[in-house]
């Protein structure tokens, strides 16, 4: 089924809607709604769910209930529950909640890191070192995300070697997995192939996830490009919600259910029940109070067939009578 594309037999899909998707919503999403959505997501076969961020409530009001969300969800043993942590205080809060994995994020672009994190990249790395020291004797996994890895709206395309050097710095600190994020939706498939090939050649044993946004409509093409290079893990957001507030014109992350549908259509297994996922996507507008960007929720799966129009049936009947 994979003729023409050298795709893996299976990939892992992670969802970030409750953190990345909800963080920019103008209206507060009720804690109970977040918990119920996470519990339903965790039953679909997703590998990881990023459920919140332990960030200042003033900075991100919609995630002010991080502790309550972490304590309220059903912890399924086959799902890794992830929280984004911006600083040492956030890490302490996450550890109290016994989160499975902490996600640390730094933009490789100095301009974007200053805009998003209010610090230089060197300051971010220093803070990461403090966080790693705090978590070293625990079982908490630490993922390091290199944001704006494929481009910055203020500085343009970022140097590939600079990205790989940041990855090495993360690994030297003791991080156990890496995410390369197209935070501003600037990546293209050729660039993704080059980055994936370079990463996997230099760090063949390091678990790699790619995180794409669909700002310019290339998100799913970038998934295929990365998968053909050997990337086996991808982030998505239910309904295609999300988008960096410091990316002019941002429209959202790649849509989880659209991504799963594409991969299944190409013969790539994900372990996800697409029908369950699609049911959640159809419920999402009632949770956030507006329509969502995902395509599958509108059109249905490509395997969903529809009754023939009456005119076609009439024509067939007439032709059969000749």
């Amino acid at each position: 089924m994979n003729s023409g594309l050298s795709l893996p037999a299976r990939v892992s899909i992670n969802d970030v809607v409750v953190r990345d998707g909800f963080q920019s919503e103008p209206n507060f999403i009720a804690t109970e709604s977040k918990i119920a959505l996470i519990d339903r997501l965790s039953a679909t076969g997703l590998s990881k769910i990023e459920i919140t961020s332990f960030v200042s409530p003033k900075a991100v009001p919609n995630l002010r209930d991080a502790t309550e969300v972490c304590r309220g969800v059903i912890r399924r043993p086959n799902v890794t529950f992830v929280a984004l942590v911006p600083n040492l205080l956030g890490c302490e809060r996450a550890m109290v909640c016994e989160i499975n994995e902490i996600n640390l994020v730094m933009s490789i672009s100095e301009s974007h890191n200053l805009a998003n994190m209010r610090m230089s990249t060197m300051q971010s790395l220093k803070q990461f070192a403090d966080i790693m020291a705090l978590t070293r004797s625990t079982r908490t996994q630490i993922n390091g995300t290199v944001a704006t890895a494929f481009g910055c709206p203020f500085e343009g395309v970022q140097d590939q070697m600079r990205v790989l050097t940041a990855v090495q710095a993360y690994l030297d600190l003791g991080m156990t997995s890496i995410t390369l994020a197209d935070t501003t939706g600037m990546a293209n498939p050729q660039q993704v192939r080059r980055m994936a090939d370079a990463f996997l050649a230099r760090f063949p044993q390091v678990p790699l996830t790619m995180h794409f946004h669909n700002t310019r409509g290339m998100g799913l093409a970038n998934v295929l490009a990365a998968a053909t290079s050997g990337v086996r893990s991808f982030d998505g957001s239910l309904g295609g919600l999300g988008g960096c507030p410091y990316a002019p014109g941002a429209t959202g992350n790649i849509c989880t259910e659209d991504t799963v549908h594409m991969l299944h259509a190409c013969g790539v297994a994900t372990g996800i029940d697409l029908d369950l996922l699609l049911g959640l996507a159809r419920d999402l507008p009632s949770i956030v109070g507006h329509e969502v960007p995902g395509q599958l929720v509108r059109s249905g799966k490509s395997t969903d067939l529809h009754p023939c129009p009456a005119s076609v049936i009439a024509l067939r009947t007439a032709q059969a009578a000749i």
Side-chain angles (χ1 to χ4, degrees):
M1 295 181 69
N2 291 338
S3 177
L5 281 176
S6 179
L7 293 170
R10 186 183 181 94
V11 302
S12 297
I13 302 294
N14 321 308
D15 191 86
V16 300
V17 66
V18 187
R19 196 281 300 173
D20 203 339
F22 286 179
Q23 69 178 6
S24 298
E25 287 296 313
N27 299 315
F28 182 73
I29 309 299
T31 304
E32 296 76 14
S33 295
K34 291 171 184 165
I35 291 170
L37 179 58
I38 293 165
D39 287 345
R40 292 175 68 191
L41 281 169
S42 68
T44 64
L46 289 161
S47 300
K48 293 183 182 182
I49 305 173
E50 192 168 78
I51 61 174
T52 193
S53 175
F54 287 91
V55 67
S56 165
K58 292 182 179 179
V60 187
N62 229 321
L63 301 183
R64 64 178 183 260
D65 55 358
T67 297
E68 292 80 5
V69 168
C70 287
R71 289 178 173 168
V73 298
I74 298 170
R75 297 295 185 98
R76 299 184 192 272
N78 59 326
V79 181
T80 299
F81 292 89
V82 183
L84 187 146
V85 165
N87 50 40
L88 196 59
L89 177 60
C91 179
E92 292 170 347
R93 293 174 59 201
M95 291 177 66
V96 168
C97 292
E98 298 182 335
I99 202 74
N100 299 132
E101 181 175 283
I102 286 172
N103 186 20
L104 303 178
V105 180
M106 177 190 76
S107 298
I108 196 64
S109 156
E110 288 285 354
S111 300
H112 194 273
N113 208 56
L114 287 167
N116 193 37
M117 305 302 292
R118 301 292 190 267
M119 63 183 75
S120 69
T121 55
M122 289 303 297
Q123 288 171 319
S124 284
L125 288 172
K126 171 61 172 64
Q127 192 152 248
F128 292 170
D130 295 337
I131 290 171
M132 294 303 300
L134 181 65
T135 62
R136 191 158 290 127
S137 61
T138 73
R139 293 186 297 175
T140 307
Q141 298 295 301
I142 308 294
N143 180 77
T145 293
V146 182
T148 63
F150 300 92
C152 166
F154 314 121
E155 298 179 5
V157 176
Q158 298 296 292
D159 180 70
Q160 180 175 283
M161 186 52 64
R162 178 173 167 80
V163 173
L164 297 178
T165 300
V167 170
Q168 186 64 64
Y170 283 8
L171 298 175
D172 290 344
L173 288 172
M175 298 184 197
T176 50
S177 59
I178 299 294
T179 297
L180 298 182
D182 181 28
T183 316
T184 58
M186 295 173 66
N188 66 72
Q190 290 279 33
Q191 180 189 22
V192 168
R193 282 292 300 270
R194 290 193 296 270
M195 183 71 78
D197 289 347
F199 183 102
L200 294 171
R202 182 166 173 178
F203 309 109
Q205 303 304 316
V206 177
L208 169 64
T209 294
M210 286 203 170
H211 176 109
F212 294 116
H213 287 225
N214 202 40
T215 309
R216 293 167 179 84
M218 290 190 280
L220 295 191
N222 289 333
V223 170
L224 285 181
T228 58
S229 284
V231 178
R232 299 290 186 269
S233 177
F234 298 93
D235 286 344
S237 179
L238 187 74
L241 287 182
C244 176
Y246 300 101
T251 55
N253 295 43
I254 60 169
C255 176
T256 302
E257 64 272 18
D258 291 359
T259 304
V260 171
H261 176 262
M262 177 191 70
L263 291 168
H264 287 186
C266 291
V268 180
T270 64
I272 292 173
D273 186 323
L274 182 56
D275 290 321
L276 285 180
L277 197 63
L278 190 51
L280 288 178
R282 291 187 175 119
D283 291 343
L284 191 56
S286 66
I287 297 174
V288 297
H290 58 79
E291 294 301 311
V292 297
Q295 298 295 308
L296 201 64
V297 74
R298 295 180 177 86
S299 59
K301 298 179 292 183
S302 58
T303 53
D304 293 341
L305 303 182
H306 303 274
C308 271
S311 58
V312 172
I313 295 173
L315 284 170
R316 283 180 176 170
T317 302
Q319 288 177 351
I322 296 175

